[in-house]
Amino acid sequence: MEQVRRTDLPPRDRDDEPAPAPPAAPQSRTQLIDDLLDEIDEVLEDSAEAFVKGFVQKGGQ
Amino acid sequence: MSAVFGLETEYGVAAPPGAAGPAGSASAAGGADLARAEAAARELFRPVVAWGRSTNVFTPAGARLYLDVGSHPEYATPECSTIEELLAAERAGDRLMAVLAEAAGRRAGAPVALLKNNTDSAGHAFGCHENYQVDRAGSAEVAAKLIPFLVTRQLLVGAGKVQVDPKGVRYLLSQRALHTAEALSSATTRSRPIINTRDEPHGDGRRHRRLHVIVGDSNMAGAAARLKVASMVLLLRAAAGGGQLPDLELAHPVQALRQVAQSWPAAQGRGAHPIALADGRTIDPVTVQWRFFAAAEAAAASPSETAALDLWRRTLTAWDRLDFDGLETELDWLAKWRLIERYRQRTGAALADPRVLRLELAYHQLDAQGGLRQKLEAGGHLADVIGHRQAAAAVTQPPPTTRAHLRGRFVAAARAAGREYTVDWVRLKLGQAPAVALLDPLDSADPAAEALIAGLEGAAAAAESAPTNEFDQIMAEAGRE
């Protein structure tokens, strides 16, 4: 089957684009996630299965 | 060029065993869970019913609170005409529902969890519906042309989902992909389409109709919510301005939706997940998105729209290069995936481990007791694009640019004056007087409505201060920064 080619696509690496905000350093980001996971560890260990299985709704739209 | 749009979010409610609910009212365990959830939803709505004597009320922000089919608390934002207004209004709904859930938990003596996701453990789905006002002329063609965009946009704005079923365990990009059965249809609950074609213009039906998109996931990440709505607004604006939307009719839209949902992990490389076009060719889903991006790019007219375009471009570039680093603060499916991956690294848990599934729900949880978003945003793990001040204000203040400005002030003034009133999306009605109809959603200064409100405000100033009940206090709490 023929593939649709990407001939009419916009340039993606222009220098004049606004730069996104610099992300936090990977190390500190991991530390942050670890702190968060430590905080909710008890919730995850204690009642996870009951909570997950107990989360039953009627279907919405 | 202005258009009007809004979001309707159905929230999930979970109450742990032993919490509020009729004991022994159902035999099966799932039946008991459901009965508890329904009881919790009714409890959550109790102050709303006491305030408005209905499970369907409009707030002083012009928003609608509604206890929907299946007992899903639903919040419909007021009509908005800017992305900033909509993001604040959506966040205001989250705040209001969270405080309602916390108050319900206090009354019941056991916590009520509020979830902003789209699926439960039994495979039921609930929605986050988008409404866009479009010109009636040409609307069917525009809707059809948007299907390939809506099928593939989960690459960007899907909320992610750990899917456990007889086919195995995998991480899908979209919560609702497996729950969508048609491209265009007027059905909602039995056979869910991508675009619902039920014709409810809520305005002048000769000129406009409502484009009702129901395939979307609820977003936790502000940047993803912004991209979801702004991309649609830009495409509709481009089409209304005479621009051409890409002509990429899919052979099987629903099949493609499910295929694209399974694009992750993306280790196989570009072009590994082609979808079929109606003309017999195939196309890469990322290419579909680049085509729509090109159609939308010139239409951006505000900083929010430009920021959304920027995320759109960076995310597609990431799919091209298979390098997603840095996007985890903006995309829900990626933020949640990174959280889950870190947890699995630390514990060795399998993807289907109940603790992982619980963590997934915590990502979508909004009540202060169990929700992660506030902490993720405070720590910079999720970008905070809305601003707490705007979101807090939007709990009780309507957007100034649409008829919601009149509806919200009418509700507030009628209550302050102690008068009987009824409202819907179009009408304001005081007692037995003839209703004032607001057929143009962009008319925020209708003279008849302004006169009605001015009269009420005069009466309110002369009246003793109206009594405040629990829901007034809940709105005040949700509206605090």
Side-chain angles (χ1 to χ4, degrees):
Chain A
M1 264 190 287
E2 186 195 345
Q3 273 282 128
V4 174
R5 298 287 166 199
R6 295 164 168 260
T7 48
D8 56 347
L9 302 183
R12 272 161 242 162
D13 301 304
R14 291 181 301 208
D15 295 333
D16 58 345
E17 299 295 342
Q27 196 56 48
S28 68
R29 178 104 27 99
T30 305
Q31 187 56 50
L32 206 138
I33 292 181
D34 280 345
D35 292 348
L36 196 67
L37 290 173
D38 287 340
E39 243 181 274
I40 62 164
D41 200 43
E42 211 171 299
V43 172
L44 301 184
E45 290 290 340
D46 280 0
S47 58
E49 190 152 16
F51 188 95
V52 170
K53 284 202 174 142
F55 181 46
V56 178
Q57 316 280 295
K58 266 188 195 156
Q61 292 198 343
Chain B
M1 197 183 326
S2 275
V4 170
F5 39 90
L7 280 179
E8 305 164 22
T9 304
E10 291 180 330
Y11 296 83
V13 175
S25 62
S27 51
D33 291 328
L34 182 56
R36 261 201 319 280
E38 292 186 332
R42 281 195 301 275
E43 183 62 42
L44 187 151
F45 248 70
R46 189 200 297 264
V48 179
V49 174
W51 183 85
R53 282 174 295 169
S54 169
T55 53
N56 175 15
V57 306
F58 283 87
T59 73
R64 189 176 78 147
L65 271 172
Y66 177 53
L67 197 56
D68 195 13
V69 285
S71 297
H72 291 284
E74 176 176 316
Y75 182 85
T77 67
E79 303 90 330
C80 298
S81 78
T82 70
I83 302 297
E84 291 86 348
E85 287 173 352
L86 184 83
L87 292 174
E90 189 207 15
R91 213 38 102 90
D94 290 354
R95 280 170 165 259
L96 194 51
M97 285 292 182
V99 177
L100 279 166
E102 287 153 20
R106 280 197 298 275
R107 289 194 304 276
V112 171
L114 181 77
L115 292 121
K116 193 185 184 189
N117 70 343
N118 306 102
T119 49
D120 71 4
S121 69
H124 302 120
F126 36 103
C128 178
H129 301 169
E130 300 148 63
N131 296 307
Y132 305 91
Q133 181 179 257
V134 295
D135 288 338
R136 182 162 291 274
S139 62
E141 189 196 343
V142 168
K145 282 193 166 172
L146 284 169
I147 294 291
F149 168 75
L150 294 169
V151 163
T152 52
R153 73 173 179 174
Q154 53 183 310
L155 295 167
L156 302 101
V157 298
K161 177 176 166 57
V162 179
Q163 177 72 20
V164 184
D165 61 29
K167 285 187 188 164
V169 183
R170 60 245 192 251
Y171 191 72
L172 303 177
L173 290 178
S174 160
Q175 295 245 320
R176 281 175 69 82
L178 299 188
H179 298 276
T180 300
E182 290 181 83
L184 294 154
S185 152
S186 61
T188 53
T189 49
R190 269 177 302 160
S191 165
R192 297 189 183 91
I194 294 169
I195 293 177
N196 179 269
T197 55
R198 192 175 49 186
D199 196 359
E200 289 177 7
H202 293 312
D204 183 351
R206 288 165 303 179
R207 290 169 53 209
H208 297 120
R209 67 169 295 160
R210 177 177 70 145
L211 186 71
H212 193 46
V213 176
I214 72 175
V215 73
D217 292 350
S218 300
N219 288 111
M220 298 300 291
R226 178 169 65 191
L227 176 53
K228 176 174 69 181
V229 177
S231 54
M232 278 294 291
V233 167
L234 294 179
L235 288 168
L236 291 170
R237 188 182 298 154
Q244 285 296 313
L245 295 180
D247 206 353
L248 294 169
E249 191 188 345
L250 300 178
H252 311 288
V254 172
Q255 191 183 317
L257 189 71
R258 291 169 190 202
Q259 263 178 276
V260 177
Q262 302 187 54
S263 306
W264 188 258
Q268 298 93 331
R270 185 195 297 179
H273 306 281
I275 51 178
L277 291 171
D279 64 10
R281 296 182 298 169
T282 64
I283 191 166
D284 179 71
V286 182
T287 305
V288 173
Q289 279 294 318
W290 276 121
R291 291 281 182 85
F292 280 94
F293 174 85
E297 199 175 13
S302 75
S304 287
E305 292 169 359
T306 305
L309 271 178
D310 179 56
L311 177 58
W312 197 349
R313 191 189 57 251
R314 285 186 289 120
T315 305
L316 295 182
T317 303
W319 277 103
D320 277 343
R321 297 177 180 165
L322 297 181
D323 175 4
F324 297 88
D325 280 349
L327 289 169
E328 64 271 26
T329 60
E330 298 169 280
L331 306 179
D332 277 314
W333 64 265
L334 187 61
K336 195 167 67 176
W337 172 258
R338 291 273 166 96
L339 201 57
I340 287 172
E341 280 303 280
R342 183 62 188 160
Y343 184 72
R344 295 178 62 203
Q345 267 177 14
R346 283 164 46 122
T347 59
L351 188 55
D353 189 291
R355 293 168 296 171
V356 171
L357 302 178
R358 178 67 186 89
L359 175 61
E360 174 173 33
L361 290 179
Y363 182 82
H364 296 276
Q365 207 169 329
L366 282 172
D367 52 283
Q369 224 159 7
L372 296 183
R373 181 165 69 183
Q374 217 172 339
K375 291 167 189 156
L376 289 167
E377 287 186 343
H381 184 67
L382 274 182
D384 182 5
V385 306
I386 294 132
H388 294 293
R389 182 174 301 163
Q390 287 89 330
V395 172
T396 52
Q397 289 167 30
T401 61
T402 70
R403 68 184 172 195
H405 183 60
L406 299 167
R407 182 188 311 117
R409 285 162 56 228
F410 173 75
V411 168
R415 297 191 71 87
R419 295 288 303 276
E420 294 285 325
Y421 67 95
T422 48
V423 287
D424 61 25
W425 289 112
V426 175
R427 274 164 290 274
L428 315 177
K429 187 167 158 57
L430 190 64
Q432 299 305 313
V436 173
L438 306 170
L439 287 175
D440 179 2
L442 279 169
D443 185 356
S444 59
D446 178 83
E450 287 287 6
L452 193 62
I453 294 165
L456 284 168
E457 285 172 347
E464 290 176 32
S465 61
T468 59
N469 76 1
E470 188 183 357
F471 185 58
D472 289 307
Q473 290 157 19
I474 283 169
M475 283 192 284
E477 187 182 335
R480 264 196 285 280
E481 273 181 50

